[in-house]
Amino acid sequence: MNTDAERLLEALGGVREVWIEDAAPERMVRRRSWRRWIALAACLAVVAAAAYSGTRLAEAWNWAALVQNFRPLAALEAIPGGTPAPAPTPVPTLNGLPLLTIRESGDMGMGFEGIMVRDVSELDTGSPWTPEAEVSALPVYRNTAYTDYMPVAPDGGAAMLALAEETAAALGTEITQVTYERVGEHAFGTTLPDSAVDGLEAETPLAEIRVDPSGSVGIFFEPYAALPDGSETSSREAAERVTDLLLEQYADLHGYVEPRRMIATDYTFNGVPITDLRACDGAGSVEEQMLSRSFHRVWFGVSEGGELHVLWLEHGLTYAEKLGDYPIISPEEAEALLREGHFITTVPQEEAPTGAWPVAHVDLVYRASGYEEIYLPYYKFWVELPRNPNIEMAEELTMYGAYYVPAVEGKYLTNMPLWDGSFN
Amino acid sequence: MEDSAIIDLYWARADAAVQETQRKYGPYCHRIAYGILASREDAEECVNDTWLRAWNAIPPQRPDRLSAFLGRLTRNLALDRWKRDHAEKRGGGETALALSELEGCLPAANPAARADGDGPLAESLDRFLAGLRREQRRVFLMRYWHLTPVRDIAARTGYTESKVAAMLHRLRGRLKAHLEREGIAV
């Protein structure tokens, strides 16, 4: 063994303590992916109304009611102690809709979005959208937590605290201590104020609740929540059973009218399956289900011992302002754009996908990790990648990379992506 | 119990200091030690040694971040033990795996490069890490400080395992380039 590597490993022991703490697995806050729903003002209005009237949170998360109750961003300015988001710079409009500029501060800067599966059918994770669905327009939102460094709460964390409190109540417990995470301890080379809030931790007797400015709420059970004997997720059928059980058990938390399972399977390089238990609300129109899938998805983390150790529930539009309903292109038009290089990807391939790279699956999703200034829909193409001789991968696996093409008609974009040969 | 109160117990040389430390940080330190040693018995001994080291260090020290202070003690003890136990045989476990990964990011030997102790290396690593975004730094340190398996990193971050592996691969490449630029010989 190379002792120089040992010296490197040991020298890492002396890095700054704040970084060590921040990277402790127990503290890891997941930031990303499954996207949020409910406009911020509507969310606050509903949460406040639920609190005052004693309405069940489950009822409060009714999509139709939230849409009806939507209020503009200006309502945030009334929150005591909050920092109102700056008024957006006036932008040109087209047909009454603001033109959109795609800007991401890029937590996806390293690594790529790929998946390894045994069969192409495993790329279908139960999305409410299919290419046959006739969706002509979808809402676009401005992320009011966006900065060019990382998401921070525009209201000092008030809405995040409300989410934590409602979550605790839905679990039948209460918060005993709240700690805010602030940018000052982590930010280097940014003009963000040290006091800006980029996370919240709330302790309860049942679990630790963590909230971030993307609206992600993570519930870390202490101890792990027991499941019925024999609960395991090694097969698709077993995963579905456990997901149904958990959806029923935590109905007060997610509030879905018609829970819709979204089971995803990825594999390790050795071919060991890893099953993700996810769900969204399957009630309402395709558009409503899509928004639930992107902005109000739930993920259950079940340990190998058959215990629930973490639950993530997205409230992705907690800090968002609706810009309008934008017409979208067809999947065929999007694939044509893909072939012309108009995509966003993190796949490190030297050539853009051509006809030789088959599209295995397409979905319609939002990119809304909190690191995007605008939450707009994209066609997500899973493209089969050539086998990489430098990566040892089980023979039965095929790797696919994700390519995103804006679904909004191009005339509403100021900067349609064009692949320049680099990857994010 | 708040960290400041625990530290006060150390300064007062109260027996309860170790008890409270164990209550609050026992699982945390055990996880660090187990991740390196892959043996519950060895990890337990390592954690017990940590309490002794902490008792001897506080006072005069008054750590700003008790979790990081204790974690570092445990990590160093566990790595020392791992090296001692594996002096003759190599391979297996997260420690060996992490070491083999880090080998790939070491710059080629440079006769003109500095090789005068770990101070410059540690300072260079600090500059490297400071230049990373928070999520990158977290993933890197989860792997190479906390020696967390890639699968667990994926579970904690929500990234796929393939993304975590690719991320670490690129970060190691950047580390190598950084060490080369700074003329650091490891």
Side-chain angles (χ1 to χ4, degrees), chain B residues 27-40:
Chain B
Y28 168 70
C29 291
H30 190 274
R31 179 190 56 72
I32 292 173
Y34 186 78
I36 295 170
L37 299 169
S39 159
R40 292 197 189 282

Side-chain angles (χ1 to χ4, degrees), chain A residues 98-389:
Chain A
L99 295 186
L100 307 172
T101 298
I102 297 173
R103 202 155 26 223
E104 300 183 359
S105 53
D107 87 314
M108 308 300 183
M110 303 291 281
F112 77 93
E113 185 177 1
I115 191 171
M116 293 178 287
V117 295
R118 287 184 172 162
D119 187 85
V120 68
S121 64
E122 292 176 303
L123 295 175
D124 181 1
T125 59
S127 170
W129 179 86
T130 65
E132 292 71 39
E134 295 182 354
V135 176
S136 60
L138 284 170
V140 173
Y141 305 89
R142 184 174 76 85
N143 172 15
T144 60
Y146 174 82
T147 74
D148 59 4
Y149 181 69
M150 64 191 303
V152 297
D155 63 351
M160 292 163 60
L161 180 59
L163 281 176
E165 290 171 340
E166 291 300 329
T167 300
L171 292 173
T173 187
E174 57 183 24
I175 295 173
T176 57
Q177 183 174 332
V178 174
T179 305
Y180 288 94
E181 295 181 342
R182 300 184 184 277
V183 168
E185 296 179 341
H186 309 289
F188 299 94
T190 176
T191 58
L192 289 173
D194 288 355
S195 60
V197 173
D198 70 328
L200 176 152
E201 293 181 3
E203 292 184 21
T204 78
L206 282 180
E208 184 175 283
I209 299 171
R210 301 181 192 170
V211 187
D212 71 30
S214 65
S216 289
V217 176
I219 303 168
F220 293 82
F221 294 95
E222 298 169 356
Y224 293 173
L227 295 177
D229 287 343
S231 292
E232 49 87 18
T233 60
S234 58
S235 69
R236 178 75 179 212
E237 294 71 26
E240 290 179 350
R241 273 198 306 274
V242 171
T243 303
D244 289 343
L245 179 78
L246 291 170
L247 284 170
E248 183 177 343
Q249 185 171 344
Y250 293 98
D252 280 353
L253 191 66
H254 57 70
Y256 298 152
V257 176
E258 294 179 17
R260 180 191 180 100
R261 279 188 251 108
M262 296 188 63
I263 309 291
T265 301
D266 193 3
Y267 291 82
T268 68
F269 286 111
N270 295 326
V272 177
I274 303 173
T275 304
D276 272 351
L277 310 183
R278 307 174 190 170
C280 65
D281 197 342
S285 65
V286 170
E287 291 85 347
E288 290 170 337
Q289 293 181 52
M290 281 182 57
L291 291 172
S292 175
R293 179 268 180 101
S294 290
F295 297 107
H296 195 219
R297 190 160 58 184
V298 68
W299 178 78
F300 300 106
V302 177
S303 69
E304 290 184 351
E307 296 172 305
L308 180 66
H309 62 93
V310 63
L311 183 159
W312 285 94
L313 180 61
E314 310 292 335
H315 300 270
L317 296 180
T318 297
Y319 292 123
E321 174 191 19
K322 183 174 177 178
L323 298 177
D325 293 305
Y326 286 72
I328 65 170
I329 60 178
S330 68
E332 293 77 21
E333 289 172 313
E335 185 167 348
L337 289 172
L338 173 74
R339 302 297 175 194
E340 293 171 3
H342 295 290
F343 56 76
I344 298 172
T345 191
T346 55
V347 178
Q349 297 291 337
E350 295 182 2
E351 298 177 1
T354 66
W357 287 17
V359 170
H361 188 75
V362 61
D363 199 354
L364 185 54
V365 301
Y366 283 77
R367 284 174 67 88
S369 67
Y371 286 80
E372 302 85 359
E373 188 175 23
I374 301 290
Y375 294 155
L376 71 157
Y378 288 80
Y379 284 102
K380 179 178 179 179
F381 293 93
W382 284 113
V383 177
E384 183 177 341
L385 303 180
R387 206 165 181 90
N388 188 329

